[in-house]
Amino acid sequence: MEVLLLKERKDEDLYEKVLCQNGYQVIFLPVLKFEFSSSDELSSYFKQAIKFSGIIFTSQTSVEAVSRVISHDFKEIDCWKKLPVFVVGNATKIAVRNQLGLESVGEASGNASNLSEVIIDYFHQSPSSLPLLFPCGNLRKETLPSRLHEANIALQTCVCYSTVPNPLIESKLIEITKNIPKCIVFFSPSGVQFTFHLIKTVFSDSFQHIKLCAIGPSTGDALRETGVQDIYIAKKP
């Protein structure tokens, strides 16, 4: 059975490994492109760990954005080892460890809303007047900033990348119609936004027979907003 993963294939991709071990054929289709920005601003923030109470990563792309601008100087990174690092998802946790050499907490939270509760609990026990650094993308929701603001936890956001659709999506989908997948996995709300209606159009009558899966609750909510109710949502990203 073919499974279409709407993401870029990573080296030693864990999703591919597990699916292949269970007898599935995996098709990758990167549906998003990321354009990095604000490198000077982000670099300046990261060099001043003393001015922050911790850092938040809600995506692997935000980790990559930081990794691109730091010098990987051990002293620079060591300063952040003394501070809490909060993440959504195990994949982001692994990216933080591999690319930045930092350990993190909160990976089981599943989404930004739940992560905000993890952060609030932490700072109730260890209060700080310093802001958290939050490198993020242009499509990030206000859920986490709003919840932290309500809890009087300061936040310094830095929009360091933009999410845009892959211009080759339609042509790649047409190629895939030669062998319609039995299951499609969406990996982000923006992925749903940019591809759902196009997939429905290209796959036509076959679409109703395809199982739709979401990597987490936020992506699941985005799928439900399209009117589809029969979806599968992973408990953990």
Side-chain angles (χ1 to χ4, degrees):
M1 185 170 84
E2 294 78 18
V3 176
L4 174 59
L5 303 183
L6 299 179
K7 66 183 289 289
E8 183 178 6
R9 184 184 184 278
K10 305 288 186 181
D11 291 337
E12 299 181 2
D13 195 284
L14 293 178
Y15 295 103
E16 180 181 31
K17 180 180 179 181
V18 172
L19 286 168
C20 289
Q21 287 175 343
N22 286 274
Y24 297 94
Q25 294 181 331
V26 179
I27 305 168
F28 288 92
L29 175 55
V31 296
L32 304 176
K33 290 181 64 180
F34 302 105
E35 298 175 350
F36 294 95
S37 60
S38 306
S39 56
D40 290 342
E41 180 184 6
L42 183 58
S43 176
S44 176
Y45 284 144
F46 201 80
K47 290 176 180 177
Q48 302 179 73
I50 193 172
K51 294 185 177 181
F52 296 97
S53 59
I55 190 168
I56 303 170
F57 293 105
T58 56
S59 71
Q60 296 175 68
T61 311
S62 60
V63 179
E64 183 180 351
V66 170
S67 179
R68 283 168 170 260
V69 303
I70 65 174
S71 63
H72 290 278
D73 177 79
F74 288 116
K75 291 182 180 179
E76 185 176 303
I77 294 176
D78 282 347
C79 291
W80 288 97
K81 290 181 179 180
K82 303 172 185 177
L83 300 173
V85 180
F86 301 99
V87 301
V88 171
N90 194 57
T92 305
K93 182 182 183 72
I94 292 172
V96 167
R97 179 185 296 147
N98 291 347
Q99 296 182 43
L100 305 178
L102 299 173
E103 293 302 323
S104 56
V105 297
E107 68 275 6
S109 56
N111 58 37
S113 179
N114 292 338
L115 181 64
S116 66
E117 299 306 317
V118 173
I119 295 170
I120 290 168
D121 287 344
Y122 178 91
F123 285 104
H124 276 173
Q125 298 178 43
S126 305
S128 174
S129 60
L130 297 175
L132 284 158
L133 178 59
F134 182 31
C136 57
N138 64 316
L139 298 182
R140 67 114 169 90
K141 295 183 177 180
E142 290 299 319
T143 305
L144 187 145
S146 296
R147 187 68 187 92
L148 296 186
H149 177 73
E150 292 170 359
N152 294 315
I153 296 175
L155 190 69
Q156 176 62 65
T157 61
C158 179
V159 178
C160 52
Y161 67 92
S162 297
T163 305
V164 297
N166 182 346
L168 300 177
I169 294 174
E170 184 171 7
S171 62
K172 294 296 184 182
L173 284 172
I174 291 172
E175 290 179 17
I176 293 171
T177 57
K178 300 171 185 176
N179 194 12
I180 299 289
K182 303 298 183 183
C183 175
I184 299 176
V185 184
F186 293 83
F187 284 81
S188 68
S190 53
V192 175
Q193 175 188 341
F194 292 141
T195 65
F196 178 82
H197 293 291
L198 184 58
I199 289 172
K200 190 174 181 180
T201 299
V202 171
F203 287 168
S204 188
D205 293 340
S206 299
F207 181 79
Q208 62 183 318
H209 303 298
I210 301 174
K211 292 181 172 63
L212 304 180
C213 301
I215 200 62
S218 295
T219 305
D221 290 342
L223 273 174
R224 288 197 181 96
E225 288 175 3
T226 67
V228 176
Q229 298 301 320
D230 188 16
I231 59 176
Y232 301 84
I233 302 176
K235 292 182 179 179
K236 296 181 181 180

